[in-house]
Structure formats: C-alpha cells, structure tokens
C-alpha cells in the first residue's frame, strides 16, 4: 500500500513553502472581493432570507406577520382544510395555478423559440451594416412601458378589437371570437413581451457562428436541413438555452400580462402571490408561494447545468 | 482537342468571371479564366494574395456561382448543382473542423450524409485515420489537437467520401517548416495512392514546383500561364511569371528571325543567340528575354563570351555563388554558379568578365 502513496496525485498539491505565500494571496483576494460579496449578501440573500422567514410565521389580521412560528403557510401551499368539517384535501386552486403557470411558461418559451430562432437567423445572415438596424428594431418594444404594450395586445384581441372587427367585416365569422381572458391571450401576450429576450441570446451565438462551418457541412453532402440540424443547431445551442432560461423564468413569475389578459379566473403564480400580499392579507402564504416559485426555477437551472455539463463532458 | 468535346474527364473552366458587388465598388476577382484540369492530376494554383485563387476553388466547390462562363466536371455542367451534390470536397484554408464533434465524428460526417451503411463508415473512417496517422487521437475534440493534426483531420474528412476532386486551399500555410515538408510529401503520396484530382492552392512557389504535375500562375484574377513546373520555370511566358518564380535576368533584344517556337535574337550588346518563343507571342521587333541565373556562367576568355560586363559583387550562398555583373547598358545581370571543391575563388571584383549563356537559356517573353 505504501508504494501506492508514492504515485503522484494530480489533485493533491504538494506541501511546500510556497503554500504560505499562497495563503496570503488567498487572504488578499478575499479582502478585495469583500465589497462585492457584501452587496450580494445584503441585496440578494438578505431579502430572500426575510421572505423565507416570513413563510414560517403567522399571518397578521390586517396583513403583515405575527412573529410566531407556524408551518401553516407551507401547509396551505399544497393542502386546504374544509371550513366546516376540517377535513384535508389538496389545494386544487393553488395546484392548478401552479400547473397553469408551468404550462403557459413552457408554451410561451417554445413559441418564443419557434419565432425567435428564425428571426435571429434572419438577422445574423444580413450584411453586417443592416444587422444593427434589425437589432435596433427588435429592441423598440422595450422603449414602451410593459403595461402599455399589454393593453395594446388587448386592443388587438378583445371582442371589439382589430382582429374580430376585421374578421367580422369580411364575413368570415358572425360573432367575435372570445380571445381575451383565455390561456391563449396570456401566452400571446407573454410571447410578445419576452420574444426579444429569446432573439438576443440566439442572435449573439448565431453571429459568432463561423459560417465556414456551414459551408463545410454543405461541402460534405449535408442538405440544407441536415446542415441546420447537425451543424447550426448544435453550435448555437448555448444561445437557445440562454434564451430558454431568460424567457421561461420571467414567464413563470409573470404578473402584469396574466393580470390584464387573463382576467381574474386565469391566474398565474405571480398573481396568486400578489393576491396573498394584497387582498388576501396572508403574507406568510405569499412568502411560501414565492419560495416555491424560486425552488422551481432553481430545479430547472440545476437540470440545465447538469445537462450542459454532461454534453460538454462528451468530448472533454 | 482536350477542351473541345463534352466527354473530357476532369474539370473544364470556361471563360469564367466572378464579380463581387462589394458596398462601394465591384471587385473583379476572376476575369475570363479558362483552364482544364485533368483527371488524377495534382494541379496547383499559384499566385500572390488576392489574385483569386480561393474564389476559383469556391466556384468549383459551388459556394459561389460564376458571373459569366461555366464549369464542367467530366463534361457535365456543374451550374445547377448545389455544393452538397457535387463530388467535390474541400480542405478549407482554416480547416473548418466541426468544433462540436470529435476527430472521428468529423471524418465520418460526409459518409453519414451520403447515407453509407454503418459498417462501411466505420471501416472507411479507420482507414482514413490510419492514412493520416491520427488513429490515437480519434476521440479527441478537434479544438484540443495541434494545427498540424487539425490539418490532417481536415484532409481525412475531405478524402473519406472519395470525391472525384479534392480542393485544397493553402492547407499547409499554418504549419512550421518541418511539418510542412513532411505534409508536402504525404499529400503527394496521398494523391498518387488515391488517384483523386487535387486542385491545390498556394502562394509558395517552391511548394508549387515540387508537388505539382501542372501549375497555373495567377495574377489579378487572370491565369497567366499553365504548364509543368519545368515549363513554368524555364519558359515563363510573362514577366510576372518569371518574376514570381525564382530569380530572373531581363535582357532587351530584337528578333532577327523566327519560326517553330524558336527565334534568332540580337541582344543590345550586339551578340546574336537562339531563344525560345512563347506561345502566341510576337514574331518580330523588340522583345524582352529572360535568362535564369543558373543558365549562365562566367568566363575570362572574351572570345567565348556572349556579352561582357564589370563584376560588381560576389555573394556566397554555400552550395552556390551569385555574381552580379554590370552590363554596358547599366543593367545588372546575375550569374549563379555551383561551388565545386578545389575551385578557389580569386577576388576579381571590378574586373571585366564575360558571360556565357547556356544553350536554350534565353526565353522570349510575351509581354
Ligand atoms: N465575398 C467577397 N466579397 C467581395 N470581394 C471579395 C469576396 N471574396 C473575395 N473578394 C475579393 O476578390 C479578390 C480575390 O480574392 P481571393 O480570396 O480569391 O484571393 P486569394 O487568391 O485566395 O488570396 P489569398 O492568397 O490571400 O487567400 C480579392 O480582391 C478579394 O478582396
Ligand atoms: Mg485564399
């Protein structure tokens, strides 16, 4: 066994005098990064910890919290108690809202990829001078307030809106199609709002794409579709994944769009949370729901990181 | 006639021009180029940067289409074929290996796209990797191998589908001298072994001369001369060709008599010598003649000399020595003579020396 110990271990650093100097360097590095760390702790972790703490407190009668430990909020995230006989059952309302949130966010993301990818491809294949103009056009919606943009969508799809008016005057339909206050309306609004967040990262990786690799694909007998699936998609995958995250996560917590376009019935998680902090006067439940949302996002991110690391490890 | 019939094997480039409409001005990258590249030939495009070598390759590969003219492969026009339907593969100037695939996957790509059975793909890939001596690194990522290795992978990838024509765009330019020499020999061997037509691009004249069956010298979108390395070197038709390849002396002369590709010319010194005429050159009047430095020698015997001058400088090069002779009309003439043992050099700088031209040393230029 002793002989084995003599084998050089690449992971173990030999103990030398240098390690004292190294320790000094590490201490200095800590010192230099301290301000950034402080900001991170205060600005990001602090509020989160408060929210986490609130989720384990009792609700105050008129909002706020009573500083008394309680698991009630977490219980209510998943279960509900019958007011009369006290029997327990799943909190269908919460679960269906959660499910709708995930479903709609996912749908939104898929649609955003479907629309954003060709858009990014189109822009990336323009001559360099016109590319900036196209990117500029993509960012124009950002100049307008989110509320106004959402009301604009409403103007288009409501019963007396542009789409229905045109279709009716053309005689294609007899009565307006109900689009407002449906899941469709929410998805449409979110795709519209989040599309630039999909286009930007895909365009960024598409622009870096070495077009000579595409030519190499054609040269080696790959048809256009094959070049697309075997060369372009794998090479811009980081951009697609980034776009996926940038759209899926805010969509999951979306609040304004579902509120306006989905109405009171088609709530999403963001509206539910807002409800608890507002009219519901149940801050702990709101906090618990917020943490739930955060957990879903974290799980999604971990799955993603694992996935990409494995993909990178293939050839690594 | 080789170019005439539609059944000629190989590549026929006929009157091809390529104009790029860049933002402000149009760039004429190729200007009425016609050339025939035979089957199984190692054909080299030689020329300075920007002369249109890559453009010609891209037209053959199908990445660009000609503004005028046409390109035929084995007698059939290529115009309507997209790159992925042409039996032509390219070794790109920068290799363009797929970064998301391993060495092996890169080599297999073309075969997969052709829908070859798995067994065959595996076998061909192994053969190719052995051919370029990359078997050990088959599972490596392509960005984790050296430049020379990348080049070999690019070569294997392009050869694997057994194209009729392999286009190589300065594949050796990124390599150091030693590896470059090795790869030159290997490329030549591969071309012989596979019998594939190689169209090789370089701006290195030595590389062109040592590897090619035939060389086309290009300048500013035109092919100036096509011929075997020997023809190009010994019988350059244009000043640019003579200048671009090797060292050259220029002499002004007048044609006295001509016929059958040969002429009797009178040099400005008054001497009359025989010279080769270029194809399609003029047959009378004033011309410029080139003489390679090694096709001349020095003498002290005035009677033997073709012309004479003052020895101005002697430069020792190891295997040979260069003598710079100032002629009567003021021009400098270089003579290169091999250094033999026991042949001691006496310092004759500023002495009057005679220059003897070897038989057939003089070549009349077309321009
Ligand atoms: N896509 C293009 N758009 C505009 N001009 C181009 C384009 N491609 C090439 N050119 C121009 O055409 C001319 C020939 O270019 P080409 O790439 O064929 O040269 P080359 O002989 O391969 O040079 P090098 O030895 O530097 O690779 C150059 O003047 C170049 O600027
Ligand atoms: Mg080039």
């Amino acid at each position: 066994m002793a002989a084995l110990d003599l084998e050089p271990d690449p992971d173990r650093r030999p103990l030398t005098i240098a390690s004292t100097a190294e320790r000094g360097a590490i201490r200095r590095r800590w010192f230099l990064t301290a301000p950034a760390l402080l900001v991170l702790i205060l600005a990001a972790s602090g509020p989160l910890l408060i929210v986490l703490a609130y989720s384990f407190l009792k609700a105050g009668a008129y909002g706020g919290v009573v500083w008394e430990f309680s698991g009630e909020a977490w219980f209510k995230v998943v279960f509900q108690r019958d007011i009369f006989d006290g029997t327990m059952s799943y909190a269908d309302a919460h679960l269906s809202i959660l499910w709708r949130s995930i479903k709609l966010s996912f749908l939104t993301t898929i649609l955003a990829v479907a629309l954003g990818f060709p858009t990014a491809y189109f822009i990336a294949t323009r001559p360099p001078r016109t590319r900036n103009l196209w990117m500029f056009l993509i960012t124009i919606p950002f100049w307008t307030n989110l509320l106004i943009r959402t009301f604009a969508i409403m103007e288009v799809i409501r019963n007396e809106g542009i789409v229905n008016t045109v279709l009716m005057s053309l005689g294609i339909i007899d009565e307006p199609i109900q689009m407002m206050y449906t899941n469709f309306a929410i998805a449409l609004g979110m795709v519209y709002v989040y599309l630039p967040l999909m286009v930007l990262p895909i365009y960024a990786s598409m622009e870096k794409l070495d077009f000579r690799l595409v030519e190499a694909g054609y040269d080696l007998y790959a048809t256009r579709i094959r070049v697309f699936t075997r060369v372009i998609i794998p090479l811009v995958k980081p951009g697609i994944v980034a776009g996926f995250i940038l759209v899926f996560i805010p969509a999951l917590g979306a609040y304004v769009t579902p509120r306006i376009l989905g109405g009171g019935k088609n709530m999403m998680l963001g509206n539910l949370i807002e409800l608890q902090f507002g009219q519901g006067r149940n801050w702990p439940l709101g906090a618990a729901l917020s943490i739930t949302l955060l957990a879903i996002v974290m799980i999604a991110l971990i799955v993603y990181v694992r996935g990409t690391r494995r993909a990178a490890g293939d050839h690594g | 006639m080789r170019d005439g019939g539609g059944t000629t094997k190989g590549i026929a480039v006929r009157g091809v021009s390529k104009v790029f409409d860049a933002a402000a001005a149009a760039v004429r990258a190729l200007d009425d180029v016609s050339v025939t590249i035979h089957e199984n030939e190692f054909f080299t495009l030689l020329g300075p940067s920007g002369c249109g070598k890559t453009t010609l390759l891209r037209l053959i590969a199908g990445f660009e289409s000609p503004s005028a003219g046409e390109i035929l492969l084995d007698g059939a026009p290529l115009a309507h074929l997209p790159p992925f339907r042409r039996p032509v593969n390219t070794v790109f100037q920068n290799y363009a290996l797929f970064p998301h695939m391993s060495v092996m996957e890169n080599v297999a790509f073309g075969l997969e796209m052709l829908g070859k059975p798995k067994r065959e793909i595996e076998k061909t890939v192994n053969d190719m990797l052995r051919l370029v001596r990359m078997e050990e690194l088959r599972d490596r990522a392509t960005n984790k191998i050296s430049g020379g290795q990348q080049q070999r992978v690019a070569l294997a990838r392009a050869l694997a589908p057994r194209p009729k024509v392999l286009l190589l765009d300065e594949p050796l330019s990124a390599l150091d001298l030693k590896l470059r020499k090795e790869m030159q020999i290997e490329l030549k061997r591969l071309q012989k072994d596979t019998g594939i037509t190689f169209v090789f691009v370089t701006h290195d004249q030595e590389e062109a001369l040592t590897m090619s069956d035939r060389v086309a010298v290009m300048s500013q979108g035109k092919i100036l001369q096509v011929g075997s390395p020997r023809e190009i070197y010994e019988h350059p038709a244009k000043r640019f060709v003579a200048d671009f390849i090797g060292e050259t002396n220029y002499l002004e002369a007048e044609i006295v008599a001509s016929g059958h590709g040969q002429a009797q010319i009178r040099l400005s010194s008054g001497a009359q010598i025989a010279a080769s005429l270029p194809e399609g050159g003029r047959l009378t009047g004033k011309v410029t003649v080139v003489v390679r430095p090694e096709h001349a020698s020095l003498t002290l015997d005035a009677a033997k000399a073709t012309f004479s001058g003052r020895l101005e400088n002697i430069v020792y090069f190891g295997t040979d020595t260069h003598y710079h002779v100032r002629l009567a009309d003021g021009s400098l003439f270089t003579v290169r003579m091999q250094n033999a043992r026991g042949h001691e050099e006496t310092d004759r700088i500023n002495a009057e020396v005679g220059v003897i031209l070897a038989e057939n040393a003089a070549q009349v230029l077309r321009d």
Side-chain angles (χ1 to χ4, degrees), chain B residues 54 93 169-170:
Chain B
T54 299
Q93 198 158 2
D169 196 352
E170 301 196 37

Side-chain angles (χ1 to χ4, degrees), chain B residues 20-22 27-29 47-56 64 93 169-170 201 203:
Chain B
F20 289 108
D21 281 317
V27 180
R28 188 164 278 269
S49 188
C51 70
K53 306 180 297 283
T54 299
T55 306
L56 184 52
E64 312 272 3
Q93 198 158 2
D169 196 352
E170 301 196 37
V201 163
H203 53 228

